[in-house]
């Protein structure tokens, strides 16, 4: 877009896909994610279609926890951390 002397128009370059999403995943992490997806899909299909797995929810929950631990997230990625203020935590619990 051009600008003339009477108006000051500035165009910003739109961020590319990699700039807006942060750092991209390495090839090994992408393969790991694909394996997680395929394992989860096999568990759900094994339960819903072939009825060989009794209940997929606990299995998927545990696999999700393991996945977070294997990645760099740890327990804090799930929101599991010590509270900043125990007093505030206890007061909220008592109010509930």
């Amino acid at each position: 877009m051009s600008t003339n002397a009477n108006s000051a128009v500035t165009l910003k370059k739109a961020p590319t896909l990699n700039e807006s999403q942060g750092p991209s995943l390495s090839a090994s992490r992408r393969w790991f994610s694909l394996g997680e997806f395929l394992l989860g899909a096999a568990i759900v299909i094994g339960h819903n279609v072939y009825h060989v797995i009794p209940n997929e929810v606990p299995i998927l929950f545990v696999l999700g926890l393991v996945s977070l631990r294997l990645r760099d997230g740890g327990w804090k990625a799930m929101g599991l951390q010590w509270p900043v203020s125990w007093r505030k935590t206890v007061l909220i619990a008592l109010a509930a």
Side-chain angles (χ1 to χ4, degrees):
M1 177 176 236
S2 64
T3 62
N4 58 24
N6 295 334
S7 67
V9 176
T10 307
L11 293 178
K12 293 183 179 179
K13 180 183 166 192
T16 62
L17 187 62
N18 285 338
E19 291 173 355
S20 64
Q21 290 182 342
S24 62
L25 296 175
S26 65
S28 62
R29 284 187 175 238
R30 288 177 190 258
W31 283 110
F32 185 72
S33 295
L34 177 65
E36 287 178 334
F37 174 75
L38 292 176
L39 180 61
I43 290 170
V44 171
I45 291 170
H47 171 73
N48 292 336
V49 177
Y50 296 111
H51 306 291
V52 293
I53 297 175
N55 189 359
E56 81 271 18
V57 174
I59 298 168
L60 293 174
F61 179 74
V62 170
L63 286 176
L65 291 177
V66 170
S67 173
L68 283 172
R69 289 291 290 166
L70 289 178
R71 297 170 186 263
D72 53 358
W75 299 115
K76 285 187 178 183
M78 293 181 285
L80 298 176
Q81 62 184 0
W82 292 105
V84 176
S85 169
W86 277 104
R87 180 175 181 250
K88 186 177 179 181
T89 303
V90 171
L91 288 175
I92 291 171
L94 290 175

